[in-house]
Amino acid sequence: MISGLYQGQDGDSRLALRIDVDGARPMGRVSGDLFTVAGATTSYVGSFVVHAPAVRAGLIQGRGDFTFAAPARDVSITITGDAVTAAVAGRTYQVSFVSPHFRSVLLEQDSVVGTAPFVAYRTGSLPGPAGSPDRELNVVSAYAEAGIELTLAEPGVIPVEGSGTDLAWDDAELHHAMTRHFGAFGDAVAWRLWLLVASKHVGGYRGIMFDYNDAHQRQGAAVFYDAIKGDTPQAQRAQLRTYVHELGHAFNLLHSWQKNLATPPQPLGPHGGFGDLSWMNYVQNYQPGGEPGYWAAFPFQFTDAELIHLRHGFYRDVAMGANAFGTGAAEIDPFEQPVEDHSGLRLELRAKDSYELGEPVVLELKLAYVDEPRTTHGHLHPDTEFTQVSITQPGGRTVLYRPMMRHCVDTSPRSAWTRATRPSTAARTSGTAGTATTSSSPASTRSAPSTSPPTAPASSPPSARSGCASRSAVTTTWWPS
């Protein structure tokens, strides 16, 4: 087997080369990152990927896509015994095999006093898809199967007092705890992650990728023990998925139904992405079959498209502290009205006709039945993943509402459902849409609601934040600009 990570240097130029043409789930790619070395300083230059290299005995060739203006785009790798030579961007590197993993990331997992971190789950403990091997999986081995090495730092235990007098963590408290307790935290791009096993979140979430409010995002995530604890096989299985899912966001992985909003856009999987058998899908939203269908078919792995991102995504698109989550994915076409709507529900959007300069723009969303009373989930606020809001600016440009924080609704508990008995008591929520920058009429807004239970929500835009909720969030700040 020749697949894996190679490294070499030509003068002041260093190459990290990834060959992915054989072995477990080969993606048929070659990719790499280039750096300039000056004394004790190493600076990133750019990345490349060859999507369909020609592979012959001892030779791999193809045309690369580069993030910079390379003097030559043809990439050639010659393998003679243990000697590997790579010709990239007009330079020739003698490279050596480093690891069977394509990337290596430092993971520090700390826990709050009183919590018990997840250890491992035996995949054969519950019925699963035919042909999926029975194996013991933990977070490290799940990512190792994807070709990503997680090296573990010494775990720590932190006091619960960091969560304040209510003993429930908010995002600012989580970020503050990361800056204090994460030994590798820094304002720089690096392959490192902090995962906190906390007690509970003020929003009741199962997990969240909370590091979203500075120039070096995606360094930290948290899971919440009170919401996911349990010793049954079902609970252990769900815990494994929550841990892997939240760390996936730190690697800049979008939800399964949001791949078309990535930069560059990626094709959606079956059923608009809801048919993906992936760590990044919502179990309850899987099509067909919802949660039972998901677990009956899920082989505990990422999709091929996600593997390509993890293994071969450009350096700044994957490395922690680099590009924000979903960067460049905000501009869209205005929503089209449904051709058919048999939901029996009506979504109303209310706002003032005009706003004064500097006045906060406040919108109200109300979901009501049309004919017969309906039961639906209570996650109407756009901070969860069931409602999209688009904003058409006076100049005609349409953008998606992108909140300060987006919460993943990772479960479908009965407490999160509501029965709309009459329009006046239907599920509703409101929020501030920023500050008016003109005294004329505000930009028009439109929404695309989910008008069915969580097995088929409307897709939502990516954001730099992601968490998993067990109850609905009801407030946020909306910035339409």
Side-chain angles (χ1 to χ4, degrees), residues 73-84:
R73 292 182 56 194
D74 290 334
V75 174
S76 178
I77 302 168
T78 304
I79 304 171
T80 307
D82 292 334
V84 181

Side-chain angles (χ1 to χ4, degrees), residues 265-414:
Q266 301 296 319
L268 292 173
H271 301 281
F274 294 112
D276 275 358
L277 290 166
S278 166
W279 298 108
M280 304 310 297
N281 205 351
Y282 283 176
V283 248
Q284 75 274 14
N285 297 338
Y286 176 73
Q287 297 180 16
E291 184 170 345
Y294 175 89
W295 289 123
F298 181 49
F300 299 93
Q301 64 186 28
F302 292 100
T303 65
D304 286 354
E306 290 163 346
L307 283 189
I308 291 170
H309 173 84
L310 289 169
R311 298 176 181 181
H312 305 290
F314 293 147
Y315 176 80
R316 293 193 59 84
D317 291 340
V318 186
M320 296 80 212
N323 289 343
F325 191 74
T327 299
E331 190 161 356
I332 61 165
D333 292 328
F335 295 135
E336 294 290 341
Q337 292 296 331
V339 177
E340 295 183 357
D341 183 359
H342 303 294
S343 67
L345 297 171
R346 180 177 69 250
L347 181 71
E348 298 178 6
L349 188 150
R350 298 177 180 178
K352 292 172 57 176
D353 292 334
S354 63
Y355 292 83
E356 297 297 328
L357 179 64
E359 180 184 1
V361 178
V362 179
L363 308 177
E364 180 188 38
L365 296 165
K366 185 178 77 170
L367 188 66
Y369 71 85
V370 177
D371 297 315
E372 298 295 328
R374 300 295 178 112
T375 299
T376 184
H377 62 81
H379 302 295
L380 182 58
H381 198 286
D383 272 6
T384 60
E385 299 292 332
F386 299 101
T387 303
Q388 279 184 331
V389 174
S390 72
I391 303 158
T392 301
Q393 299 171 339
R397 181 172 179 258
T398 299
V399 297
L400 286 174
Y401 154 59
R402 302 193 58 187
M404 290 294 293
M405 178 176 67
R406 180 168 299 281
H407 298 111
C408 307
V409 182
D410 195 28
T411 58
S412 53
R414 297 306 302 175

Side-chain angles (χ1 to χ4, degrees), residues 27-324:
M27 294 294 103
R29 301 289 197 284
V30 170
S31 65
D33 305 313
L34 292 163
F35 303 85
T36 295
V37 180
T41 302
T42 301
S43 303
Y44 172 66
V45 173
S47 301
F48 72 92
V49 60
V50 180
H51 290 286
V55 182
R56 296 187 293 275
L59 184 64
I60 303 173
Q61 292 178 309
R63 195 161 180 81
D65 291 335
F66 287 79
T67 62
F68 61 98
R73 292 182 56 194
D74 290 334
V75 174
S76 178
I77 302 168
T78 304
I79 304 171
T80 307
D82 292 334
V84 181
T85 302
V88 178
R91 302 186 74 153
T92 301
Y93 303 83
Q94 302 298 321
V95 296
S96 301
F97 182 80
V98 174
S99 172
H101 301 101
F102 300 97
R103 282 173 165 143
S104 181
V105 179
L106 175 70
L107 173 63
E108 180 180 326
Q109 179 178 294
D110 294 344
S111 57
V112 173
V113 173
T115 66
F118 165 79
V119 177
Y121 169 69
R122 191 83 199 178
T123 63
S125 301
L126 295 168
S132 180
D134 177 15
R135 61 208 190 274
E136 186 171 86
L137 272 186
N138 55 32
V139 176
V140 171
S141 58
Y143 274 93
E145 290 188 358
I148 304 300
E149 179 185 34
L150 297 180
T151 60
L152 296 179
E154 187 68 24
V157 178
I158 71 174
V160 72
E161 285 77 17
S163 61
T165 56
D166 60 357
L167 302 183
W169 296 83
D170 62 29
D171 303 323
E173 291 165 341
L174 289 168
H175 192 277
H176 180 63
M178 177 176 67
T179 61
R180 290 187 58 198
H181 299 284
F182 183 20
F185 175 79
D187 291 329
V189 181
W191 295 104
R192 80 309 204 182
L193 270 172
W194 188 63
L195 179 65
L196 179 65
V197 183
S199 45
K200 60 181 178 181
H201 190 275
V202 292
Y205 309 123
R206 296 169 59 90
I208 188 169
M209 195 268 287
F210 59 81
D211 184 20
Y212 56 83
N213 204 26
D214 54 28
H216 299 284
Q217 303 175 11
R218 298 188 288 108
Q219 295 185 59
V223 295
F224 299 102
Y225 177 71
D226 289 359
I228 64 176
K229 64 184 177 182
D231 296 325
T232 67
Q234 291 85 353
Q236 295 289 303
R237 181 179 64 181
Q239 288 171 42
L240 171 63
R241 189 202 152 275
T242 299
Y243 279 56
V244 175
H245 179 101
E246 296 306 335
L247 290 177
H249 288 313
F251 281 93
N252 218 352
L253 281 175
L254 280 71
H255 290 122
S256 297
W257 64 95
Q258 295 178 317
K259 306 301 186 186
N260 61 323
L261 299 174
T263 304
Q266 301 296 319
L268 292 173
H271 301 281
F274 294 112
D276 275 358
L277 290 166
S278 166
W279 298 108
M280 304 310 297
N281 205 351
Y282 283 176
V283 248
Q284 75 274 14
N285 297 338
Y286 176 73
Q287 297 180 16
E291 184 170 345
Y294 175 89
W295 289 123
F298 181 49
F300 299 93
Q301 64 186 28
F302 292 100
T303 65
D304 286 354
E306 290 163 346
L307 283 189
I308 291 170
H309 173 84
L310 289 169
R311 298 176 181 181
H312 305 290
F314 293 147
Y315 176 80
R316 293 193 59 84
D317 291 340
V318 186
M320 296 80 212
N323 289 343

